[in-house]
Amino acid sequence: MIEQQTDISIEVRNITKTFPGVKALSDVNLSVAKGTVHALCGENGAGKSTLMKILTGNYQPDGGRIFINGKETVIKSQKHARDLGIGIVYQERSLVKNLSVAENIFTGNEPRNQLGFIKYRELFAKATVLLKKLNININPQVKVATLSPGLQQMVEIAKALSQQPRVLILDEPTASITETETKILFEIILQLKKQGTAIIYISHRMTEIFKICDVVSILKDGCYQGTYQCEEITIDDVIKKMVGREMKQIDVTSFIQNETAIEVRNASGNGFSNISFSARKGEIIGITGLVGAGRTELVRAIFGADELASGEVYLNGAAVSINHPSQAIKNGIAYLPEERKEQGLFMDMGIADNIISGNLSAVAKHNLLNKKLIKTAANSYVRQLAIKTPSVSTKVANLSGGNQQKVVLARWLALNPTVFIVDEPTHGVDIGAKYEIYQLLQNLAKTGSTIILISSELPEVLALSDRILLMYKGTITGCIPRLLASEELIMEYASGLKKDSAQMQQVA
Amino acid sequence: MKKLLQEREAFLAIAIVLICIAASIAWPGVFPTFDNLSQVLLNLSIDAIVAVGMMLLLISGSFDLSVGSVVAFSGGITAYLLYYCGMYPLPAVLIGMSAAALVGFINGYLVAKAGINPMIQTLAMMGIIRGAALMISGSGIQNLPADFNVLGQSNFLGLQSPVWVMLLVVFSFDFLVSKNIFFRRYYYIGNNEKAAMLSGIKVQKLKITGFILASLLAGLAGILLASRLGASLGTSGKGMELRVITAAILGGASLSGGEGRIMGALLGTIFMAVISNIMIIARVSGYWQEMVLGLILILAVWIDIVLKDPRGLSLKARFTKLKTS
């Protein structure tokens, strides 16, 4: 199962870590060889991040040993980890947006003169060389804030690589980048692999793992489930070991009714222009495209979170004017935002407080909150969505990603939306919760709600949508019915290679 | 025990009781007398009214540095109308309150709609309104009419009227903020403004309302103060903003918003007033008093951070972490 000892770059043995009330890791083993890409799989809460935080010196393990190049080592701090040659690209951004790319890459490590001033010419030159080596086309003098999320991710990677790490940890590196950028990233990974860097690759995206990784290790509930060569294991087996049960395929039933629920005519705004589409009751309509195609901007404007410069929105045949989310909610439109921590959740508040936040009057009598009503409502959604928590007053910050997403979903379900816009509903959610969310959206469609699904994960869009709208640079370039849809076709539209005439779109 | 300590209000209440017991033992003839304690209450009532508004703003994630100036401003306008224009008390008070509300509206509008940082907006307003208050009151307007002074100088059940007004304000706001769905929304805004907006909460409108309420309460405090003294001073309420923010933070508020209860603002004010009173009784110099209150604030917030740390790091672990990072 494990390869010969000599090539091992980093190894952990019997690592245990306990937090108050939770055993985050128990007896975990992992050994990563030089020049391999080693995937680490597990649901949210399985202990992947904890393990990585131990390797980067953020946490001290309660028990177990760590070997670097065969030598037992105690990783004392983040700086110590860096000195030992362990680099990490976190899932969350760690860049300073108002500083230049070069300054970000060499943070704390800038070339300085004797007086401690930064030598900018040398800094930019060094950055240029590094970026060129990685085949990333960014001017090192521009501010990070001006870059797309994908390019920012590339800067993160360049930053980690500027330390020339012997072990590079990538935590969900493709979560916010486009397919093209993913390709560049994979080329970089292959290049590093050739140079003998050991790479730990954490991702929820199985297809990616099987494309780029050599070895896969699996964690479940803090326990080590084994290490396998990618050639000798299938995606289904990995999922089975992560989840502990087999995943059902979702049914592709369609619940489309006849009446049109929402129609958008000639909508234009910041980031999109002249958009027209309609969706019927019970229909799940997917909107996909590359990051920056204007999908999120479009639905935010429909929901009233941003301004709709021109165009009309019709609900059940009647024109509505929506200038604030409160009006959208009154009209039965709900919106699950893209970034749940930044836009969806009140992290320091309890589950119940989060669930009721969309409609406080529903749990109030004479405008006064009623504890009993709150508890009943919250408990019913916790049960219905199988949110794993000790109580409804638990802070949302203490839940795993999947459970957090369910809390946001619960808030919107509580409003009985007729049109439910979900923006990347399974972003950073583990596979078990993912399927539960799919099921939930389908059930909602069954009861006659219209679902507008925005997603960058093509398998998700393909599996759920009755119809798929393609956006490219702020316009709709095509519309594919489920039966004709394929990943290749979607990519052709999404990358602007293919475009339907306006008439064709109407027909679809 | 740890659970109890995490409830700031309970923690403060216990601390206040213990300190009072200790002071009663140390100065049995001076501290626990009715005269001393009712004086303490009277002195803190003006601060406590202002602290209620500050707590509301802190819950919503902002604060108002201009409240101290508004205290002098509204008291000054009311006194001016009474003394120089011979106005009846009721319209004079209403105009004084409206002037305070207008200041709050301008603060709220510029913070919520124009996006000016509350620190900068209210710092500027603090200066502007202080100037206006000094202009109005000059070297002080004295000898205010008796039918106005009755507001702040009457007695009921042995306690003076400002104390009753303060108790009314504190308890009604405490009830509203913890139960009423309108006020409850301030917690959502303070916790995550973007998410609040996307949940259909009218963030801008609520923020403006919050600033108006904070200013109105400061205005009320200013009028009460003028009535109690029978005079208005352009310098009254100077330094009050920081004292009130300190009390609210001691009472459980956080500068990042989403935390605290109105009752905490009262307890924080009482705590500070009792400490000051004891230091006066013990003849500690004024310089020391300021230093002690500063130290208490740092200590309280630090203890809070340690108690609430989700990682459950002990104090010792925290120190070693600080050293390494």
Side-chain angles (χ1 to χ4, degrees):
Chain A
M1 221 156 75
I2 290 165
E3 46 279 276
Q4 55 281 45
Q5 287 299 95
T6 46
D7 285 345
I8 300 303
S9 179
I10 189 162
E11 180 176 8
V12 303
R13 286 191 206 151
N14 310 100
I15 287 283
T16 301
K17 174 78 185 171
T18 317
F19 292 109
V22 215
K23 195 147 200 185
L25 293 173
S26 59
D27 249 348
V28 169
N29 295 298
L30 184 72
S31 75
V32 185
K34 285 172 193 157
T36 58
V37 184
H38 196 121
L40 188 60
C41 291
E43 294 190 280
N44 285 340
K48 291 167 300 186
S49 304
T50 311
L51 183 58
M52 292 310 114
K53 283 187 173 155
I54 287 172
L55 292 185
T56 51
N58 287 315
Y59 290 155
Q60 289 305 318
D62 299 335
R65 302 194 288 173
I66 300 171
F67 297 86
I68 293 174
N69 292 326
K71 224 176 86 194
E72 183 162 1
T73 316
V74 176
I75 303 171
K76 283 178 241 157
S77 66
Q78 280 167 282
K79 193 180 171 304
H80 189 208
R82 251 200 321 267
D83 297 343
L84 289 167
I86 300 170
I88 183 162
V89 177
Y90 290 103
Q91 196 177 346
E92 275 108 32
R93 297 261 176 281
S94 63
L95 300 176
V96 184
K97 299 220 161 177
N98 282 322
L99 289 181
S100 70
V101 168
E103 284 166 301
N104 268 291
I105 293 176
F106 294 102
T107 303
N109 202 15
E110 303 93 342
R112 276 170 249 203
N113 63 19
Q114 284 96 331
L115 293 171
F117 289 100
I118 297 173
K119 292 193 267 180
Y120 277 98
R121 199 169 301 161
E122 198 181 322
L123 176 77
F124 290 131
K126 271 174 87 177
T128 312
V129 170
L130 179 65
L131 290 170
K132 201 161 191 185
K133 212 172 95 192
L134 299 174
N135 249 329
I136 307 172
N137 189 17
I138 311 176
N139 177 355
Q141 305 202 24
V142 301
K143 276 187 186 175
V144 165
T146 61
L147 300 176
S148 73
L151 289 177
Q152 291 186 14
Q153 180 74 28
M154 294 297 163
V155 176
E156 293 271 9
I157 291 164
K159 181 180 168 182
L161 292 178
S162 72
Q163 311 272 350
Q164 289 162 335
R166 283 176 291 180
V167 180
L168 177 66
I169 303 167
L170 298 168
D171 192 352
E172 295 273 358
T174 57
S176 58
I177 66 177
T178 62
E179 302 272 336
T180 2
E181 286 160 341
T182 306
K183 267 189 202 146
I184 299 178
L185 172 67
F186 283 1
E187 275 160 26
I188 295 173
I189 292 177
L190 290 177
Q191 202 182 323
L192 288 171
K193 195 175 138 178
K194 257 186 234 147
Q195 294 163 8
T197 312
I199 295 161
I200 302 179
Y201 190 93
I202 301 177
S203 179
H204 286 302
R205 299 189 178 172
M206 287 298 150
T207 41
E208 263 172 24
I209 287 176
F210 277 80
K211 204 187 271 175
I212 191 77
C213 300
D214 310 301
V215 190
V216 52
S217 288
I218 301 156
L219 288 179
K220 175 174 180 292
D221 298 333
C223 298
Y224 174 66
Q225 304 291 309
T227 298
Y228 306 89
Q229 297 293 329
C230 280
E231 299 113 48
E232 52 185 46
I233 192 166
T234 64
I235 291 186
D236 287 344
D237 288 336
V238 172
I239 292 175
K240 226 183 289 174
K241 285 181 199 300
M242 277 165 56
V243 186
R245 64 194 126 87
E246 265 183 82
M247 270 341 289
K248 282 179 298 193
Q249 279 295 313
I250 33 171
D251 308 328
V252 275
T253 354
S254 171
F255 304 105
I256 304 182
Q257 301 174 15
N258 264 332
E259 307 100 288
T260 300
I262 182 169
E263 188 179 353
V264 175
R265 280 191 211 155
N266 307 323
S268 298
N270 190 12
F272 60 93
S273 65
N274 209 13
I275 303 272
S276 298
F277 70 93
S278 70
R280 286 182 281 174
K281 282 189 178 168
E283 184 173 12
I284 300 183
I285 179 165
I287 302 183
T288 189
L290 303 176
V291 171
R295 304 166 301 172
T296 298
E297 289 81 355
L298 169 67
V299 292
R300 275 178 65 94
I302 294 175
F303 187 63
D306 290 326
E307 202 190 352
L308 192 61
S310 68
E312 299 102 54
V313 178
Y314 296 83
L315 285 173
N316 301 317
V320 288
S321 129
I322 294 170
N323 300 315
H324 189 271
S326 61
Q327 289 162 326
I329 291 168
K330 261 189 211 135
N331 282 304
I333 306 177
Y335 171 59
L336 179 101
E338 181 180 19
E339 296 164 314
R340 67 171 162 272
K341 278 184 195 166
E342 286 76 26
Q343 303 173 8
L345 289 165
F346 306 96
M347 297 295 280
D348 285 333
M349 297 176 88
I351 292 173
D353 283 327
N354 272 277
I355 291 178
I356 64 168
S357 64
N359 190 1
L360 293 180
S361 356
V363 289
K365 282 181 184 165
H366 312 295
N367 284 332
L368 299 178
L369 288 173
N370 185 306
K371 268 194 190 147
K372 230 185 185 169
L373 287 176
I374 295 175
K375 241 194 156 156
T376 332
N379 274 320
S380 97
Y381 283 106
V382 164
R383 231 174 303 125
Q384 193 185 324
L385 302 188
I387 298 170
K388 275 178 226 145
T389 172
S391 100
V392 292
S393 54
T394 304
K395 269 190 194 177
V396 169
N398 297 333
L399 299 179
S400 71
N403 282 310
Q404 288 180 348
Q405 190 72 322
K406 286 183 189 174
V407 171
V408 192
L409 278 164
R411 172 199 318 158
W412 295 115
L413 293 181
L415 292 165
N416 273 322
T418 52
V419 177
F420 194 10
I421 305 166
V422 287
D423 199 346
E424 303 286 358
T426 61
H427 193 152
V429 163
D430 60 69
I431 265 189
K434 223 175 196 170
Y435 281 83
E436 287 175 65
I437 290 170
Y438 294 161
Q439 203 64 55
L440 201 98
L441 292 176
Q442 290 231 310
N443 287 341
L444 209 58
K446 205 173 179 176
T447 63
S449 298
T450 305
I451 314 274
I452 299 177
L453 167 71
I454 295 180
S455 177
S456 302
E457 271 186 64
L458 295 186
E460 177 172 299
V461 178
L462 285 167
L464 286 173
S465 319
D466 294 308
R467 217 159 28 116
I468 300 163
L469 293 179
L470 281 315
M471 281 186 79
Y472 176 69
K473 289 193 173 165
T475 58
I476 291 185
T477 51
C479 174
I480 319 174
R482 188 208 303 267
L483 289 173
L484 300 178
S486 68
E487 291 205 25
E488 293 72 32
L489 191 57
I490 289 178
M491 281 321 295
E492 279 180 36
Y493 280 105
S495 52
L497 291 174
K498 200 171 160 130
K499 188 173 158 77
D500 286 350
S501 68
Q503 261 175 345
M504 276 287 292
Q505 291 173 35
Q506 290 297 320
V507 176
Chain B
M1 186 63 189
K2 195 176 166 187
K3 195 114 198 182
L4 186 70
L5 290 178
Q6 281 181 337
E7 288 289 323
R8 184 66 74 83
E9 290 82 8
F11 180 70
L12 261 184
I14 293 170
I16 291 167
V17 170
L18 290 179
I19 290 168
C20 285
I21 293 174
S24 305
I25 295 167
W27 299 278
V30 195
F31 181 79
T33 61
F34 182 80
D35 277 352
N36 181 51
L37 291 181
S38 69
Q39 195 59 43
V40 169
L41 261 182
L42 178 62
N43 287 339
L44 70 82
S45 54
I46 301 291
D47 275 14
I49 292 170
V50 181
V52 167
M54 191 65 81
M55 185 56 113
L56 188 69
L57 283 177
L58 283 164
I59 289 172
S60 78
S62 48
F63 53 86
D64 185 350
L65 293 175
S66 69
V67 285
S69 300
V70 170
V71 164
F73 181 59
S74 71
I77 285 187
T78 308
Y80 189 91
L81 293 173
L82 289 165
Y83 190 80
Y84 291 110
C85 309
M87 211 179 254
Y88 286 113
L90 184 67
V93 166
L94 287 180
I95 293 172
M97 293 288 280
S98 314
L102 181 69
V103 175
F105 174 77
I106 296 170
N107 277 334
Y109 188 87
L110 291 176
V111 167
K113 298 256 182 188
I116 300 179
N117 179 295
M119 160 101 188
I120 292 159
Q121 169 59 36
T122 62
L123 184 67
M125 199 53 115
M126 174 170 97
I128 293 168
I129 299 301
R130 176 64 64 195
L134 287 165
M135 220 171 342
I136 293 165
S137 294
S139 53
I141 303 173
Q142 279 158 0
N143 299 323
L144 295 179
D147 53 356
F148 171 72
N149 292 349
V150 79
L151 277 177
Q153 295 178 6
S154 37
N155 244 294
F156 181 64
L157 296 179
L159 292 177
Q160 282 187 284
S161 45
V163 180
W164 290 109
V165 175
M166 179 271 284
L167 290 174
L168 184 73
V169 166
V170 168
F171 283 97
S172 47
F173 270 88
D174 186 62
F175 177 75
L176 287 173
V177 171
S178 58
K179 291 259 182 209
N180 180 279
I181 55 176
F182 177 85
F183 285 96
R184 192 68 195 168
R185 296 199 170 105
Y186 284 108
Y187 285 95
Y188 290 104
I189 295 174
N191 215 284
N192 187 341
E193 208 178 306
K194 280 187 197 159
M197 194 266 281
L198 290 176
S199 303
I201 292 173
K202 288 173 181 149
V203 175
Q204 297 187 337
K205 203 177 109 191
L206 266 107
K207 273 189 164 179
I208 294 174
T209 312
F211 274 100
I212 292 177
L213 284 171
S215 227
L216 267 176
L217 288 170
L220 174 69
I223 290 168
L224 271 178
L225 184 65
S227 156
R228 190 189 127 200
L229 302 173
S232 87
L233 299 168
T235 51
S236 61
K238 222 169 192 180
M240 184 194 256
E241 55 286 328
L242 294 182
R243 207 162 61 231
V244 163
I245 291 175
T246 308
I249 295 205
L250 272 177
S254 138
L255 274 187
S256 50
E259 278 179 75
R261 279 185 239 164
I262 298 298
M263 204 47 80
L266 174 63
L267 290 166
T269 316
I270 294 180
F271 184 83
M272 286 172 63
V274 169
I275 299 275
S276 302
N277 182 249
I278 291 171
M279 286 193 287
I280 291 166
I281 291 173
R283 297 178 193 286
V284 176
S285 95
Y287 308 124
W288 275 102
Q289 293 184 29
E290 303 254 343
M291 283 167 74
V292 168
L293 286 176
L295 288 173
I296 288 173
L297 179 66
I298 293 173
L299 201 66
V301 173
W302 191 29
I303 288 175
D304 201 48
I305 292 171
V306 174
L307 287 175
K308 285 199 179 140
D309 191 334
R311 290 166 301 174
L313 280 183
S314 65
L315 265 182
K316 197 176 153 205
R318 224 161 226 297
F319 267 120
T320 45
K321 207 167 158 43
L322 275 179
K323 261 188 243 156
T324 50
S325 63

